[in-house]
Amino acid sequence: MTEALRTIGNHGIVGDLETVALVARDGAIDYFCWPTLDSPTVFADLLDPGRGGAFEIEPELTDPRHLQLYVPDTNVLVTRWMGAEGSAEVMDWMPQPEARQRSGHCARGLVRRLTVTSGTVTFDVRCAPRFDYARQIPKADAIEGGVRFGAGDIALNLFSSLALDAQEGSAHARVTLSKGQSAWFVIGDQAMPCPDDDAIQEQLDATTHAWRAWHATSTYTGRWREQVLRSALTLKLLTSARHGSIAAAATFSLPEAEGWERNWDYRATWIRDASFTVYAFLRLGFTDEANHFNHWVGARVVGADRDNPLQIMYALDGSATAEEQELTHMAGYAGSRPVRIGNAAHKQTQLDIFGELLDSAYLSNKYGDPIHYQGWQHVRTIVDYVIEHWNEPDAGIWEMRSEPRHFLHSRVMCWVALDRAIRLAKKRSLPAPLVAWAETRDEIVADIWANFRHPEHGYFVQERGGTELDAALLMMPLVRFVSSTDPVWLKTLEAIGEQLCDDGLVYRYRVDDGLGGQEGAFTTCTFWYTECLARAGRLDEARVHLAKGLAYANHLGLFAEEVDMRGLPLGNFPQALSHLAFISAAYFLDRQLDPSYRPIWQP
């Protein structure tokens, strides 16, 4: 194990639209949940090195250079070892549903194909799964073509073209290969039959074709096409093909501050991400994904009750988010404890979610599937709830675990909920008490302008009567609450730049939130700030800021939740919202920098 090559950012991601695996730069798979992205881990050395489980391939090369890349326009990952005496690579992929249908191989699994590209190289291979968040060491039994790992009701097959030695809780192989020679491994469902060389190649061809076919449907042709579509491919990996939901991130409990308690489970779908998700997919031409996600959200609205029309987050299958619990047996990434699964924030009141939800409904109605009458009745229920509760405190967008407060971002998004509902009603001539809705909308506007300004400087502030800033205020011009060139907003933007920005990094806030450790800069806010600069006409600054933001992606173009003072990734990885914000900023800059650029989709 090479610890430096298994830090948060030193990973790629592969998946099959049901689950994902992280592949470290040294070729180890040290994070993998099965059978779905929000299931317990099979490999979790990332969170408990040496005990969490891993699938390691170690070449006997002297001080090799480690490289990773994706096969162009796909989510097929290549990890390379380059040494003076030889070189090799391992190709990792998971056949997605379309690929499985195309190849005729219906079983799910993670495939690894090892190839020597120069010289002769000897490898040690060790596959040591640890089921149920490393609480169970499975029994390893030899079967035809491989090893079966089993513990309780859980069982996985590992097949290989090599002879595998089944030991206690693990399988091992040692092999020497020369240039051009390959070996393969497949770990997956216990019903999976043992493949052969032809089947492995067929799966690779089908998986590559499926990803490229999806990639080719994009209508985006802007100057950041390669980076933007890598973000789209990453978002697709976080999408459930079965349900249409999108995980906030692939992981849980990766720390926002190393060695401290800021460790949360992001393997759920936040309603807050709704409008960002719909924006991104529609902007890039992926209308099926936007519609599928909106249908999933719509089903959650239909299943809600009048007194509490929506939870802030749901499990990927649409059920309630798991209760938060601590895995006391796990060491945590870089000693960051507690290790948490589930998320207690699902019990919070966060009034901003109704704005994001109705913004996405408005966009989908305009550019995707039009709203139907029954859906409109649920919109009216949501609006009634917002009218009744908009002037109440809540936990806010950052889910602070302190007493509820009157946050400006929540107030703005309540305005968005009413504004988009009014627009939707007028657009489709839908029945609604428009006068009453407009009166409340205007009341919210008056409250914001009167009570959420700095008493001395006049710019907008985080909470009612306060003086502190919050990067969530960057959403104000993006949702068109305020003009991007309004004098008060420009003062706010300037203050955010002075107080929350640090050489291309943007922090969420500077106030004490009751948690230990100093969190990193928030990647999403970095790109929100970029877009606000562009909308304010500061295009040269926006371009530089976007370039700096892109530099904080990892070697594969993947963004983590946060970035530390050295520019290294922190928090759960990769994070959907970071990629969504980047897509939005790049898209807007394209339009501003090139007057001849005419995107297919116009916001």
Side-chain angles (χ1 to χ4, degrees):
M1 170 182 175
T2 310
E3 290 190 10
L5 296 173
R6 299 194 191 174
T7 55
I8 292 172
N10 272 323
H11 285 83
I13 180 175
V14 296
D16 65 354
L17 310 186
E18 293 186 63
T19 191
V20 298
L22 297 189
V23 184
R25 209 164 181 172
D26 67 351
I29 296 175
D30 57 358
Y31 182 90
F32 180 40
C33 294
W34 183 268
T36 61
L37 185 148
D38 53 358
S39 296
T41 55
V42 171
F43 302 128
D45 257 18
L46 184 60
L47 289 156
D48 196 345
R51 294 188 354 180
F55 191 158
E56 299 171 317
I57 300 175
E58 296 185 6
E60 293 185 356
L61 293 172
T62 304
D63 193 25
R65 184 184 181 194
H66 300 83
L67 299 175
Q68 276 187 320
L69 64 143
Y70 281 105
V71 174
D73 305 339
T74 78
N75 279 315
V76 176
L77 182 65
V78 180
T79 302
R80 306 197 70 201
W81 303 273
M82 302 183 68
E85 65 272 46
S87 60
E89 65 184 32
V90 60
M91 189 174 288
D92 289 292
W93 72 91
M94 296 178 68
Q96 50 150 291
E98 288 186 18
R100 296 200 298 271
Q101 292 174 9
R102 181 181 177 87
S103 71
H105 183 73
C106 296
R108 295 180 55 211
L110 170 60
V111 189
R112 317 200 73 187
R113 189 168 75 177
L114 177 64
T115 304
V116 171
T117 53
S118 68
T120 298
V121 183
T122 298
F123 302 87
D124 281 313
V125 180
R126 174 180 174 269
C127 181
R130 297 294 181 261
F131 294 163
D132 192 23
Y133 299 110
R135 287 182 286 209
Q136 296 185 40
I137 299 177
K139 183 180 179 183
D141 294 314
I143 59 175
E144 185 176 353
V147 174
R148 174 166 293 170
F149 298 104
D153 297 331
I154 310 171
L156 290 175
N157 285 348
L158 171 66
F159 293 117
S160 177
S161 59
L162 303 177
L164 298 175
D165 178 22
Q167 300 181 12
E168 185 177 353
S170 62
H172 297 255
R174 182 175 173 83
V175 63
T176 300
L177 301 174
S178 297
K179 180 179 179 179
Q181 292 184 318
S182 296
W184 52 260
F185 309 86
V186 183
I187 186 167
D189 191 87
Q190 61 177 321
M192 175 180 64
C194 182
D196 56 22
D197 292 351
D198 291 339
I200 295 296
Q201 184 62 50
E202 184 182 342
Q203 287 183 46
L204 175 59
D205 293 342
T207 302
T208 302
H209 179 273
W211 282 120
R212 285 179 171 163
W214 182 80
H215 183 279
T217 63
S218 175
T219 57
Y220 176 76
T221 59
R223 66 186 65 204
W224 292 283
R225 178 176 168 82
E226 184 173 350
Q227 297 98 322
V228 164
L229 291 184
R230 174 50 54 194
S231 286
L233 283 161
T234 304
L235 290 172
K236 184 67 172 175
L237 282 177
L238 299 176
T239 301
S240 168
R242 182 180 307 178
H243 305 293
S245 53
I246 300 179
T251 58
F252 65 94
S253 248
L254 293 181
E256 298 169 6
E258 286 190 11
W260 294 88
E261 60 183 315
R262 300 172 182 269
N263 318 310
W264 319 107
D265 190 345
Y266 279 9
R267 298 170 303 158
T269 297
W270 267 251
I271 295 298
R272 176 177 298 113
D273 295 352
S275 61
F276 303 111
T277 301
V278 172
Y279 255 75
F281 280 140
L282 287 176
R283 280 168 166 164
L284 303 182
F286 300 120
T287 55
D288 287 345
E289 283 71 20
N291 289 331
H292 198 187
F293 181 74
N294 256 341
H295 293 161
W296 181 89
V297 172
R300 309 288 76 75
V301 175
V302 170
D305 59 65
R306 188 176 185 87
D307 293 331
N308 189 12
L310 210 58
Q311 297 178 30
I312 69 166
M313 69 178 81
Y314 294 86
L316 299 181
D317 64 1
S319 62
T321 308
E323 293 297 323
E324 187 172 297
Q325 59 178 293
E326 297 180 3
L327 302 180
T328 57
H329 65 286
M330 297 192 81
Y333 177 92
S336 306
R337 303 182 71 183
V339 175
R340 295 185 178 95
I341 56 173
N343 201 311
H346 75 92
K347 297 178 180 178
Q348 292 182 345
T349 297
Q350 297 177 19
L351 294 171
D352 66 291
I353 65 171
F354 304 107
E356 283 100 359
L357 174 64
L358 294 190
D359 195 26
S360 69
Y362 174 76
L363 289 171
S364 292
N365 177 79
K366 190 173 182 180
Y367 300 106
D369 289 345
I371 192 167
H372 52 74
Y373 183 78
Q374 183 183 11
W376 177 245
Q377 301 313 304
H378 294 295
V379 167
R380 293 188 59 168
T381 299
I382 290 171
V383 173
D384 289 343
Y385 184 88
V386 171
I387 288 174
E388 184 177 351
H389 297 280
W390 69 267
N391 200 19
E392 297 176 0
D394 72 341
I397 182 174
W398 308 129
E399 300 176 354
M400 293 191 182
R401 299 193 177 196
S402 55
E403 287 299 312
R405 292 145 64 184
H406 290 271
F407 290 105
L408 175 52
H409 176 266
S410 298
R411 198 61 46 93
V412 167
M413 296 313 293
C414 286
W415 174 88
V416 170
L418 287 160
D419 180 74
R420 301 312 192 260
I422 292 169
R423 291 171 182 251
L424 197 52
K426 291 180 177 178
K427 180 76 173 178
R428 294 292 178 188
S429 300
L430 295 164
L434 294 180
V435 173
W437 287 5
E439 287 176 351
T440 303
R441 179 192 62 183
D442 296 346
E443 186 180 351
I444 295 173
V445 172
D447 175 61
I448 289 173
W449 282 93
N451 299 313
F452 290 83
R453 307 268 300 281
H454 192 284
E456 179 181 355
H457 303 296
Y459 53 70
F460 293 113
V461 291
Q462 180 184 55
E463 63 178 311
R464 188 165 66 188
T467 58
E468 299 293 337
L469 286 163
D470 187 333
L473 305 187
L474 294 166
M475 287 301 300
M476 295 177 75
L478 304 189
V479 297
R480 294 176 173 80
F481 174 83
V482 65
S483 165
S484 55
T485 56
D486 182 283
V488 173
W489 168 250
L490 291 178
K491 274 188 177 182
T492 307
L493 182 61
E494 193 68 28
I496 289 174
E498 292 173 357
Q499 299 180 37
L500 298 183
C501 294
D502 183 2
D503 190 30
L505 299 173
V506 180
Y507 292 81
R508 295 189 290 183
Y509 45 75
R510 298 290 193 182
V511 299
D512 181 6
D513 58 10
L515 296 171
Q518 175 60 52
E519 71 166 9
F522 206 70
T523 307
T524 296
C525 297
T526 294
F527 292 118
W528 285 351
Y529 183 73
T530 299
E531 186 167 348
C532 285
L533 288 175
R535 288 178 181 268
R538 296 161 61 175
L539 296 181
D540 288 342
E541 291 177 70
R543 290 189 67 180
V544 171
H545 205 269
L546 184 69
K548 288 183 176 180
L550 276 171
Y552 298 125
N554 80 345
H555 56 289
L556 294 168
L558 308 181
F559 292 109
E561 176 188 5
E562 297 188 0
V563 178
D564 71 11
M565 291 294 293
R566 298 168 299 163
L568 298 175
L570 282 174
N572 286 303
F573 173 87
Q575 192 195 42
L577 193 56
S578 301
H579 287 276
L580 293 166
F582 163 63
I583 290 170
S584 181
Y587 187 95
F588 187 82
L589 264 175
D590 272 322
R591 295 173 55 195
Q592 298 302 108
L593 293 172
D594 186 357
S596 65
Y597 178 62
R598 291 292 181 268
I600 302 297
W601 187 84
Q602 295 279 357

